Amino acid sequence: MLFNKVGVVGGGTMGQGIAEMLAGKGLDVLLIERTPDKLEAAWHQIEVSLDKQLEKWAITPVEKKIILSKISKVTELSSLADCDMVIESISEELDAKKELFRRLDVICPEHVVLASNTSTLSLTEIAAETTQPERVIGLHFLYPVSKIHLVEIIRGLKTSESTFTLTKKFVEETIQKRGIQVYESPGFVTTRLICVLINEALHVLSERVASEEDIDNAMRIGYDFHYGPLEMADRFGLDSVLVAMERMFREFGDLKYRPAVLLKQMVRAGHLGTKTGHGFFRYDKDGDRL
């Protein structure tokens, strides 16, 4: 089976990145958002991303035009009926994802692979909302999608071998990223490990061991991280990091997953990172550091 048309549900930061990356690989993409305003906002951010690449001579104006021409903006889920795969990238709310997969199960023919970009939620629980849980799988892309060449391919309890094989082929041959097989566990591999690092960085900051800038430089320069842990948290969204930490703390009961007090304070203050322009660092409307 070939994947030529892929639906991306959710036009947030990850949805934008996934849609742009897929279009850049020559696939036809249907980008779905609930309202025309949210859809236009997502489209604008994709254009901003492509313009930044233009400035660095990473792509040409013609390539930008081709990528945008591959993305169709739609607001109706029914449009996904003729896709080969649908990737869900809405907010990390279990009930919302369950409702979406119930609807996708009705709309999409049985050969369509239904994938979720969830970073912490149970694929098995989401798949249980469908009549064909064997076609549900996790595709956890990492931020920034275009630059990180790893994808966690998560198997739910009933994910079939054929679904996994097809999805792995899609990841490694069609979009040319490295796929790792992950069996369902809270936080999988990447979220489980990175959230503990971010949480420890917050403790180091709270104890005034070093400044925000120096903590990030220590890991960015010392260990060749693309972003330091605090900027990484800003880009993930501090509210998203808090939700992930709380969910893992609840599931594992281990104190290492207990969210730092500073993280809770930042979220209560509305300092959520790039999405609000203010987290541990400040950002402009395009998400660039000020």
Side-chain angles (χ1 to χ4, degrees):
M1 175 185 175
L2 294 174
F3 294 96
N4 296 311
K5 182 181 284 190
V6 179
V8 177
V9 185
T13 302
M14 292 304 295
Q16 295 159 21
I18 294 168
E20 179 190 324
M21 179 273 299
L22 293 174
K25 297 297 182 182
L27 298 171
D28 292 318
V29 180
L30 295 186
L31 180 60
I32 309 263
E33 255 298 356
R34 287 177 295 181
T35 67
D37 286 348
K38 289 188 179 228
L39 203 49
E40 286 305 321
W43 182 264
H44 170 70
Q45 287 305 127
I46 291 172
E47 285 192 296
V48 167
S49 172
L50 292 172
D51 286 339
K52 287 178 182 177
Q53 294 172 60
L54 264 175
E55 290 172 6
K56 297 175 182 177
W57 292 24
I59 60 172
T60 66
V62 172
E63 286 173 323
K64 174 190 171 182
K65 188 176 289 187
I66 290 171
I67 290 170
L68 290 175
S69 72
K70 287 285 185 179
I71 304 173
S72 299
K73 299 178 284 184
V74 288
T75 54
E76 296 298 325
L77 283 177
S78 57
S79 306
L80 299 171
D82 61 346
C83 287
D84 304 307
M85 172 186 280
V86 176
I87 301 173
E88 167 274 313
S89 187
I90 64 174
S91 59
E92 283 288 275
E93 297 174 19
L94 184 58
D95 289 341
K97 288 184 190 287
K98 283 182 173 182
E99 171 60 23
L100 175 59
F101 273 77
R102 278 196 293 270
R103 295 178 65 188
L104 291 176
D105 190 50
V106 174
I107 292 166
C108 300
E110 61 182 21
H111 70 275
V112 180
V113 173
L114 303 181
S116 174
N117 184 52
T118 181
S119 58
T120 58
L121 297 173
S122 167
L123 258 297
T124 299
E125 197 169 347
I126 292 170
E129 298 297 313
T130 71
T131 58
Q132 294 176 293
E134 63 274 7
R135 67 166 169 166
V136 178
I137 196 164
L139 271 181
H140 182 218
F141 293 89
L142 305 183
Y143 179 87
V145 178
S146 60
K147 294 180 181 176
I148 304 298
H149 298 295
L150 178 83
V151 182
E152 289 182 298
I153 307 173
I154 303 104
R155 301 182 71 139
L157 183 63
K158 294 189 176 180
T159 302
S160 69
E161 191 62 37
S162 62
T163 297
F164 174 76
T165 302
L166 277 171
T167 305
K168 194 168 194 295
K169 189 172 183 180
F170 167 76
V171 168
E172 300 196 334
E173 295 182 15
T174 305
I175 63 173
Q176 299 172 323
K177 291 184 181 288
R178 179 67 181 271
I180 62 167
Q181 178 175 232
V182 179
Y183 290 93
E184 184 175 303
S185 177
F188 314 132
V189 175
T190 55
T191 301
R192 183 170 170 178
L193 296 181
I194 204 65
C195 280
V196 174
L197 173 65
I198 289 171
N199 209 45
E200 195 58 36
L202 289 165
H203 287 306
V204 170
L205 180 62
S206 298
E207 294 164 14
R208 299 183 180 180
V209 176
S211 68
E212 294 93 333
E213 193 73 48
D214 285 342
I215 290 169
D216 269 19
N217 282 340
M219 301 309 293
R220 190 173 54 80
I221 300 170
Y223 287 90
D224 203 24
F225 279 36
H226 187 72
Y227 297 116
L230 299 178
E231 183 171 349
M232 207 179 294
D234 279 350
R235 294 187 179 279
F236 290 159
L238 300 190
D239 51 340
S240 298
V241 175
L242 179 58
V243 167
M245 292 297 303
E246 288 177 334
R247 187 166 286 121
M248 288 189 290
F249 184 40
R250 214 164 37 241
E251 292 280 345
F252 292 114
D254 193 317
L255 288 177
K256 69 183 176 184
Y257 299 111
R258 185 169 66 187
V261 172
L262 179 57
L263 178 60
K264 294 181 179 180
Q265 290 174 331
M266 293 287 283
V267 172
R268 287 168 186 158
H271 300 326
L272 307 182
T274 54
K275 65 177 77 174
T276 59
H278 187 189
F280 293 104
F281 305 100
R282 290 188 176 274
Y283 305 87
D284 65 20
K285 63 182 177 62
D286 296 328
D288 292 324
R289 283 271 299 270
L290 294 175

